[in-house]
Structure formats: C-alpha cells, structure tokens
Amino acid sequence: MNMVMRTRSDSGRPLTDLEILEQVTVLNLDTGELVPLSLAEDRLPKCVNPLSLHIMRLTSEYVSNPNSHKDRESDEESVDLKKDSGPHDTVDAKKVWRKAKWIRKKIEKTVEKTVNKLKDVADEVKHSRHSEDIDTSEEETMSPDARPSVKIKASGSHKGPYEFEGIKVLQELTGEHSGAIWTMKFSSCGRLLASAGQDHILRIWVLRDSYSYFDDMRQRYNAEGKVSPTPSQENIGMQQNDEHAKSENAEASEDMKGPFMPKPFCTYEGHTADLLDISWSKNYFILSSSMDKTVRLWHISRRECLCCFQHIDFVTAIAFHPRDDRYFLSGSLDGKLRLWNIPDKKVALWNELDGQTKLITTVSFCQNGKFAVIGSYDGRCIFYYTEQLKYYTQIHVRSTRGKNAQGRKISGIEPMPGEDKILVTSNDSRIRLYDLCGLTLSCKYKGYVNVSSQIRASFSHDGKYVISGSENQFIYIWKTHHDYSKFSSARRDRNDYWEGIKAHNAVVTTAVFAPHPHLISCQLDQNEQHCSTTDGCYVIASADFSGAIKIFINKPKTKSSGATEMPAS
C-alpha cells in the first residue's frame, strides 16, 4: 500500500519520529482496533504477532491513519492563532486557546472511556456475529454432554443433525507455555504431541499409557552413552528440567484423569526467538523452525540438539520428506526453498521464488513426496519436482472477483489422506480444496476468521472433516464432502455448513485432529471390548494466543452413550 507520510506540520515544524510513527497503524488481533505503530512494538504480543509485524516491515503494507495528524494540526493552528494575533487580542486568544485545549482533553477522556467499554465486549461481539458472507443467522447452544465452558454453534443454514454436539473437554494443559502457541502437531503414531511458540521452547507431551515406553527408550539411549561426552550448560539445564518433570509426572499420574501426562515429557531449549513451525518424522525425530533464522533437529530419546541449520531470514515452515527422513524442506522469508540433506548437514537442492514479493510462508510435500509445494505471501501455491527441485506449475489462490480477487498470504498447505488433493489456508478467511489432477478448485470452506494470522487448516485422520482455529476464539469444523441432497440450490463447490466450538478466551492459533483417536478413547475407557468399536470417535487438540492447550473428544452417538439429540430451531 502506497502512503504519503507527513514529515512537517502545516506550520512548517518538523515532526518528531514518534509523531511520524503515529501516522501508521496496525490491526490488534485481540480487539480489532487500529493501534499506532509507535505503540505496537511495545505492546507485543497484544497487538500483532511478531511474524506479521516483520512481514509488514518487509512489504510496507501498513494501514494508514489519515486522522492521526488532525489533532496536532488543531493544536498548531491554535498556537499560530496566538502568535499572529495583535497585542490587544493576546489575552483573549490565550483564554480561547486554553478553553479549547480543556474541551479537547475532556472529549479525549470521554472517548477513551467509551473505547475501553467497547474493548470489554469486543470479543463477545466478534463470535456472536456471523461471517459477513453468510446471510442466515447462527444457532448457538450448549453441548449436552460437554462442560459448561464449551459452546457449540453452527451456520444458520446448517439445521442438523450436528456431528460434534457431544464434544467434551478431556484435559487442559496450562501453566507451561508463556505467551502464544504458534504451532502444535501430533507425531505420526499419535502418542506424542509437540507444541511451540512465543517462549522459544519446544515441548513434547506424551500419552499417559505411553510414558513408560518413551522413558525406557530415553534411558536406554543414555545408558549406551549416546549423549554428548561434554554436555553444555544448556543440556545440563534440560536434563535437570526433565528429571524434575519426571518426578512431577510420577506424583500426578495416580490422580490424573486426562489422556496426557500433566507435565511435558521433555522440553527443548536452544532457539532464541519465536518458534514458527515443527515437523515429525516417523522415527521420532522432530524439526523446529524459528524467527532466529535457524532450524534445529531433535530426537525424543535425546536431550540435546542434534544439529542446527542456518538460514538468512525467518524460517516460516519446515517439512520432513514423507518417505526418506534424511531430507527435509525449509521455506524462508528470504524467498528460497531449500531441500536439506541431514547426514551431510548441507543444502542438497534449492530454488528461489520469483515475483516482487519473495516471501515463502508455508511448505509441504504432496503425492507422497513426488512434489514439493510452497505457499507465498502474495497468494500462490507453487509446485516443484522434488528430485531436482525444478518448477512444475502453480495455482493462484484467489477469488475470481470481489475483495478477495487479489491473492492473500498462504498460511497452510496439507495433502488430503488417500487422494490427490491439497488443502490450502489463506488470509482471506477461506480454506480451499484443490484437485491436483486438473489443478481445479473442488471446494471452498467459509465461516471462520483468518485475516493476518498463521492459522492453518488440516484434515481428520479419516479425511472426513476439515478443522481450523480462528481469530474469533472458535474452532471451526466442516465436512470434507457435505451432503447437498437436502439443499438443491446450494453450490457443490462451496461449503458454508460449519460447526464451531467455543472453549478458548483468546485467538485459537492452532487446532488439529489426533491421528489415532482410539488410543485415547481406549485409555479413558480401560475396556478392550469397547476399544474395538471406536469408529466415529474424534480427538481434537487446540491451542490459543494465551498459551493454553485443550484436548477434546467426540464419540459416536449410541444408545448407551447417553447422547441426546439437539432440537432443531
């Protein structure tokens, strides 16, 4: 966005740096207000996440505040009036100037009080209002089997039956993360959950029934002398933290009702800035990327960092190769896509994004590693042959007309289980499903809010549902293939039939389905016979801007489950 910055007042006085910065505003993700850039950096993370702020600096895409200098002009005009007045009018001019200043301060105080009141109800207004693209009203009701803090809402045209009306909160993992959680992912086995974000620390959570297995693995590696012979102070600190967590977990394991141990299985320190993405391999290696311009490699059995991969700018996204975990992709704001060889600790192949805005915001593999695909800040999905990292094709992720005709930042790309399709999340509050055979749009999912966050959508383990966090504090769920038989007039390439879960009091930065929900369901029931009938059970993990993690379960409706039907309005 091109802006004209005022460097002098109308009277010719040079403006200070602070006054110049006040002409530029950024969006507060919590309240929706426009905050002067001069205050934004001091008030992080309340105003805007640091990745978005850094991208704003690189692209100069701020929101100008045309009224920011009006107050100063009025003051300067008053001063000029005082200076230009004649000797007989000096006293009267002073009185008028002082009176005007007093009135202005009174108005400012009144406005400030009003704004503060509006802030208190801003969040309620956000999630009570429907998305601007849906004309029908929302239904919001309490889940019959859920705790009082969980609310379910659905699009007005979605009259039921509701798939997730019986959802319950199983566990809350709070008090560990300090600040926002930007990324959270399950391991492929479903027994481990990794979370990371603003406090620079990678945390690994383990299922209660699997704690002994992974603890034995860690002890076995340590007994074989596979740790560093001269551990750093950082590693010694991590060892002490792990031992402390182990003792706390042992004390709490008897009384704990949730599926995960209440304390992290291990915490990995080493990054010096926010962690933006994580990726699991099938062999329990884990990668973490950060705003400190590095990617670090860890293993669940080790306490120390195994390798550090340096970059030129923020590393926004990483992905292990799905068939060969000796390789991984990294995408950076320097515009370069890199395929790393882990054993050689160097870049095997690389390619550079073309165009004016060379910012890579997400990366992934598709078709079982045949293609590497990146998402860009200007709304493109670009495909490369993985073997040579040569350009193949691209998709412009945007609407054909309207306000979304210009591409917006791609915040997530995920392949669909068992099909040649990919799910693309972008900052126009849209999620799109593309068919890779013809590079055509299969479906567009609407209803959630994603204007400037790094929120990304993902599939359930069976591919039947799509889930995403949202800036309005809800978790949104859509059916991948909605039944349109009852809605003959509805378009098959649009899905406005969503269900929302309200359980957080801050922006939901990430929400994911567990890959093997039966592990958690069986653990809770402790009944092997019941475990064989867990089809239709779904487990969700979500995290928010305040650092809270919540685990949910939604079991299939059966006569014995006690689930009741929600009355249709």
Side-chain angles (χ1 to χ4, degrees):
M1 178 184 295
N2 295 326
M3 297 190 312
V4 178
M5 304 296 296
R6 292 170 53 90
T7 58
R8 290 180 176 272
S9 66
D10 289 346
S11 62
R13 178 181 65 84
L15 298 180
T16 65
D17 292 341
L18 183 62
E19 290 173 329
I20 293 174
L21 287 176
E22 286 176 351
Q23 299 177 50
V24 181
T25 58
V26 294
L27 181 66
N28 186 321
L29 295 180
D30 283 339
T31 65
E33 68 173 330
L34 296 177
V35 180
L37 185 61
S38 57
L39 301 176
E41 302 212 38
D42 295 333
R43 293 168 59 181
L44 285 174
K46 295 179 181 178
C47 291
V48 62
N49 70 65
L51 175 61
S52 297
L53 185 61
H54 181 70
I55 292 177
M56 287 178 184
R57 291 196 193 99
L58 294 177
T59 58
S60 300
E61 292 195 3
Y62 299 100
V63 181
S64 61
N65 186 3
N67 300 320
S68 60
H69 59 274
K70 288 184 178 179
D71 292 338
R72 290 196 301 273
E73 288 177 356
S74 63
D75 281 345
E76 289 156 3
E77 289 171 0
S78 299
V79 174
D80 291 341
L81 174 65
K82 173 185 173 183
K83 290 182 178 178
D84 296 339
S85 59
H88 300 290
D89 300 326
T90 302
V91 177
D92 292 338
K94 284 183 178 179
K95 288 181 179 179
V96 172
W97 178 73
R98 288 173 181 171
K99 186 69 173 178
K101 187 176 181 180
W102 179 82
I103 293 174
R104 180 167 160 267
K105 286 184 177 179
K106 197 74 174 176
I107 293 173
E108 287 179 347
K109 288 183 179 180
T110 304
V111 171
E112 184 178 359
K113 289 181 180 179
T114 304
V115 170
N116 288 335
K117 290 181 180 179
L118 290 174
K119 287 180 180 179
D120 293 336
V121 299
D123 292 335
E124 296 180 6
V125 173
K126 280 185 181 180
H127 67 69
S128 64
R129 293 176 59 190
H130 197 276
S131 174
E132 60 184 359
D133 297 301
I134 301 178
D135 296 328
T136 53
S137 61
E138 295 176 352
E139 295 180 5
E140 184 169 328
T141 183
M142 296 297 297
S143 173
D145 294 331
R147 296 182 182 182
S149 61
V150 180
K151 294 181 181 179
I152 305 296
K153 70 174 182 178
S155 55
S157 53
H158 186 358
K159 298 299 182 181
Y162 301 96
E163 303 291 330
F164 289 85
E165 66 185 37
I167 196 163
K168 296 187 292 186
V169 177
L170 288 180
Q171 191 174 13
E172 298 183 19
L173 302 171
T174 58
E176 292 295 326
H177 279 279
S178 175
I181 297 173
W182 301 130
T183 179
M184 183 170 63
K185 291 182 181 178
F186 278 96
S187 62
S188 58
C189 70
R191 294 178 171 87
L192 300 167
L193 176 66
S195 59
Q198 196 171 29
D199 59 9
H200 313 171
I201 300 174
L202 172 65
R203 291 174 172 84
I204 310 296
W205 309 84
V206 63
L207 288 180
R208 180 161 37 100
D209 286 356
S210 303
Y211 180 86
S212 298
Y213 173 80
F214 289 105
D215 187 56
D216 291 342
M217 178 192 295
R218 183 166 56 184
Q219 297 301 328
R220 186 168 61 253
Y221 271 82
N222 293 339
E224 293 173 359
K226 294 186 178 182
V227 295
S228 301
T230 56
S232 62
Q233 291 299 317
E234 173 187 298
N235 294 332
I236 294 174
M238 284 193 293
Q239 181 175 358
Q240 294 173 346
N241 290 337
D242 288 344
E243 291 175 354
H244 179 65
K246 181 178 179 180
S247 62
E248 288 187 341
N249 276 325
E251 293 175 359
S253 60
E254 295 297 329
D255 300 327
M256 207 199 62
K257 298 180 180 179
F260 286 91
M261 299 298 289
K263 295 293 181 180
F265 176 71
C266 50
T267 58
Y268 294 123
E269 301 180 30
H271 286 289
T272 58
D274 293 37
L275 276 71
L276 301 178
D277 197 14
I278 49 184
S279 179
W280 285 97
S281 78
K282 295 179 180 179
N283 297 317
Y284 304 117
F285 287 94
I286 184 168
L287 291 165
S288 57
S289 68
S290 172
M291 289 172 56
D292 64 9
K293 306 177 184 179
T294 68
V295 173
R296 287 178 177 263
L297 177 68
W298 319 84
H299 191 270
I300 193 64
S301 65
R302 308 285 287 275
R303 295 185 176 93
E304 70 273 14
C305 175
L306 303 179
C307 190
C308 183
F309 305 90
Q310 296 287 340
H311 291 68
I312 298 174
D313 207 330
F314 293 176
V315 189
T316 53
I318 45 178
F320 266 111
H321 193 288
R323 289 182 289 107
D324 190 346
D325 58 13
R326 295 175 300 170
Y327 297 91
F328 74 90
L329 277 179
S330 69
S332 171
L333 293 185
D334 65 2
K336 288 185 172 61
L337 173 67
R338 298 173 174 88
L339 181 66
W340 292 84
N341 184 313
I342 295 177
D344 294 343
K345 301 180 182 180
K346 66 179 184 180
V347 176
L349 299 167
W350 67 275
N351 207 326
E352 188 170 7
L353 182 65
D354 61 353
Q356 279 188 328
T357 309
K358 298 182 178 181
L359 303 176
I360 299 175
T361 52
T362 188
V363 301
S364 183
F365 286 98
C366 62
Q367 293 190 353
N368 201 25
K370 179 180 179 181
F371 294 105
V373 55
I374 67 173
S376 68
Y377 178 75
D378 56 2
R380 291 178 293 159
C381 283
I382 306 173
F383 296 80
Y384 301 87
Y385 291 104
T386 303
E387 289 187 359
Q388 303 88 20
L389 220 58
K390 297 296 183 182
Y391 173 83
Y392 171 64
T393 189
Q394 65 179 334
I395 300 173
H396 289 273
V397 181
R398 59 189 179 189
S399 301
T400 55
R401 60 184 182 275
K403 65 177 182 177
N404 294 326
Q406 183 177 359
R408 301 289 301 277
K409 182 183 77 175
I410 306 298
S411 57
I413 297 174
E414 179 168 330
M416 185 175 184
E419 296 190 36
D420 289 338
K421 295 182 179 181
I422 58 169
L423 193 69
V424 179
T425 315
S426 54
N427 277 170
D428 58 0
S429 297
R430 301 290 185 271
I431 301 167
R432 295 170 175 87
L433 182 65
Y434 286 96
D435 190 334
L436 297 181
C437 295
L439 296 180
T440 56
L441 179 65
S442 296
C443 192
K444 182 189 294 184
Y445 306 93
K446 301 192 296 184
Y448 82 126
V449 182
N450 181 16
V451 177
S452 61
S453 302
Q454 196 69 8
I455 294 171
R456 63 190 68 181
S458 58
F459 291 102
S460 60
H461 65 283
D462 53 8
K464 292 183 178 179
Y465 296 97
V466 172
I467 190 170
S468 176
S470 177
E471 292 173 6
N472 66 350
Q473 305 179 2
F474 273 78
I475 302 168
Y476 283 79
I477 301 173
W478 300 260
K479 280 186 176 180
T480 308
H481 302 290
H482 191 74
D483 182 11
Y484 290 93
S485 59
K486 299 179 182 179
F487 309 96
S488 57
S489 60
R491 295 179 57 176
R492 294 184 179 273
D493 60 346
R494 301 289 186 271
N495 190 341
D496 302 335
Y497 308 104
W498 46 262
E499 295 177 27
I501 303 167
K502 176 65 169 70
H504 290 270
N505 295 317
V507 172
V508 181
T509 53
T510 178
V512 291
F513 281 104
H516 301 289
H518 67 278
L519 295 175
I520 294 175
S521 178
C522 292
Q523 178 176 286
L524 295 175
D525 295 333
Q526 296 296 319
N527 187 335
E528 294 184 1
Q529 184 177 358
H530 180 73
C531 291
S532 61
T533 60
T534 56
D535 291 342
C537 176
Y538 296 91
V539 173
I540 296 171
S542 62
D544 64 25
F545 206 78
S546 66
I549 299 174
K550 295 191 177 184
I551 310 297
F552 306 85
I553 190 168
N554 187 72
K555 291 187 177 182
K557 300 173 187 177
T558 60
K559 294 182 180 179
S560 60
S561 65
T564 58
E565 291 291 331
M566 181 185 297
S569 60

